[in-house]
Amino acid sequence: MKIGVVGLGLIGGSIARAIKQHTNHVVCGVDTNPAVISAAYAAGAIDTDTDVSQCDVVFVCLYPRDCVSYMLNTEFKDNAVIADISGVKRFLAKEVAEPLRKRGLRYVGTHPMAGRETSGFEHSDADLFQNASFIITQDEHTDEDAQALLSQLAKELGFSRITACSARKHDEVIGYTSQLAHVISNAYVKSDAAQEFEGFSAGSFMDLTRVAKLNPQMWSELFIENGDILVAEIDELIGNIKDIRDAVAAKDESRLRGLLKRGSDIKETLSRED
């Protein structure tokens, strides 16, 4: 099978590397940066960099709006499976699912749940997806054979869990588990105290600031295109923080203990479910 990978950054590059290392499929890599193409050839991550019009499966690994533009303006093989790996799914499905279907193509939204704080092909890794989760979004129009093909391919690449859900369910969960976490981390490091922690920082600081370093262009798109869900999560967070803030300001130790215990109990329950 010939597989196209469009956008050879961290995730796209890792998909290409994983295909070459763990399968016998042929990889066609596409990137606008000639240096990246050269690096991909040198790493043995791609077999060709010609157009993807003869590929059976194409992973589009671009920013959300670039995904839309590429999928709507590129010629693909008849009946090919076209899969974006974007972190927002309703936006992509709304823009491309019907137009691609009318062209005789099988669109499937996917999201590899793996990553690093670093970006670019130079940080890609054939084993990035080992034991990670692979999300496939579906609706009444999703081609079952295409979904099954991507599920099998994901397993070959090292994913240990394949999760199928609606695009809305994906965006709701990711809005909380990923996007809100990046908002919190990014806001947290803006404190003046962040410049004066040398000698005082421990695991809590490192854990909370890990994802503060992000790609502003990509994450801005992800936040905006999932804005309704993310804003609701931010509002709930602000309310929870205000409850603790007000209890501290009022020196209401009994109320504060109750608030902290509730959070601790929830975390303990979640830990047992992991």
Side-chain angles (χ1 to χ4, degrees):
M1 186 164 63
K2 190 172 184 179
I3 301 175
V5 182
V6 181
L8 297 173
L10 173 65
I11 301 301
S14 295
I15 289 174
R17 287 179 186 266
I19 293 170
K20 291 300 298 176
Q21 181 164 311
H22 300 297
T23 80
N24 293 318
H25 303 306
V26 174
V27 177
C28 173
V30 176
D31 199 279
T32 57
N33 188 339
V36 170
I37 293 295
S38 296
Y41 273 122
I46 62 176
D47 299 292
T48 176
D49 63 333
T50 56
D51 68 80
V52 297
S53 62
Q54 297 305 310
C55 290
D56 304 289
V57 176
V58 180
F59 287 103
V60 184
C61 310
L62 305 173
Y63 296 167
R65 294 167 194 157
D66 288 340
C67 276
V68 171
S69 178
Y70 186 87
M71 287 189 280
L72 294 182
N73 294 289
T74 300
E75 291 298 320
F76 299 107
K77 181 180 180 180
D78 289 347
N79 204 42
V81 176
I82 313 300
D84 75 281
I85 57 92
S86 173
V88 288
K89 298 270 75 96
R90 290 176 300 163
F91 168 68
L92 268 296
K94 178 182 177 182
E95 295 293 329
V96 308
E98 182 65 17
L100 292 182
R101 188 161 55 249
K102 288 180 177 179
R103 290 168 54 190
L105 301 166
R106 297 180 288 170
Y107 166 74
V108 182
T110 71
H111 190 183
M113 298 305 298
R116 291 174 175 164
E117 297 81 58
T118 52
S119 61
F121 180 79
E122 63 269 28
H123 298 291
S124 61
D125 184 348
D127 292 322
L128 182 65
F129 310 119
Q130 295 300 309
N131 299 315
S133 294
F134 187 77
I135 299 175
I136 296 177
T137 55
Q138 59 185 10
D139 61 20
E140 66 274 17
H141 300 295
T142 304
D143 185 275
E144 292 183 1
D145 289 340
Q147 184 175 335
L149 185 155
L150 289 172
S151 295
Q152 178 57 41
L153 182 57
K155 292 175 183 176
E156 293 175 13
L157 301 188
F159 291 96
S160 61
R161 181 173 181 176
I162 314 297
T163 300
C165 66
S166 69
R168 179 167 187 86
K169 181 64 174 179
H170 168 277
D171 287 358
E172 288 175 345
V173 175
I174 293 301
Y176 172 69
T177 61
S178 177
Q179 293 179 353
L180 184 64
H182 282 77
V183 169
I184 295 168
S185 186
N186 193 266
Y188 177 70
V189 296
K190 293 172 183 172
S191 169
D192 290 342
Q195 309 303 319
E196 303 173 357
F197 66 84
E198 186 174 356
F200 292 84
S201 63
S204 297
F205 178 83
M206 299 305 295
D207 289 345
L208 193 51
T209 59
R210 185 178 66 82
V211 295
K213 183 180 179 182
L214 45 69
N215 181 322
Q217 180 180 344
M218 182 183 74
W219 283 96
S220 292
E221 285 193 29
L222 294 172
F223 289 173
I224 294 296
E225 300 304 345
N226 201 34
D228 56 336
I229 288 171
L230 181 57
V231 167
E233 291 293 350
I234 292 173
D235 287 344
E236 184 172 357
L237 174 68
I238 290 171
N240 291 333
I241 291 175
K242 188 176 185 301
D243 286 342
I244 295 175
R245 180 261 178 212
D246 290 349
V248 172
K251 300 187 184 302
D252 188 341
E253 192 168 342
S254 176
R255 181 165 181 252
L256 180 59
R257 281 199 303 269
L259 291 168
L260 297 178
K261 185 177 186 305
R262 181 169 181 270
S264 180
D265 289 347
I266 290 172
K267 173 57 180 174
E268 184 175 353
T269 299
L270 293 174
S271 296
R272 288 199 297 267
E273 294 175 354
D274 287 345

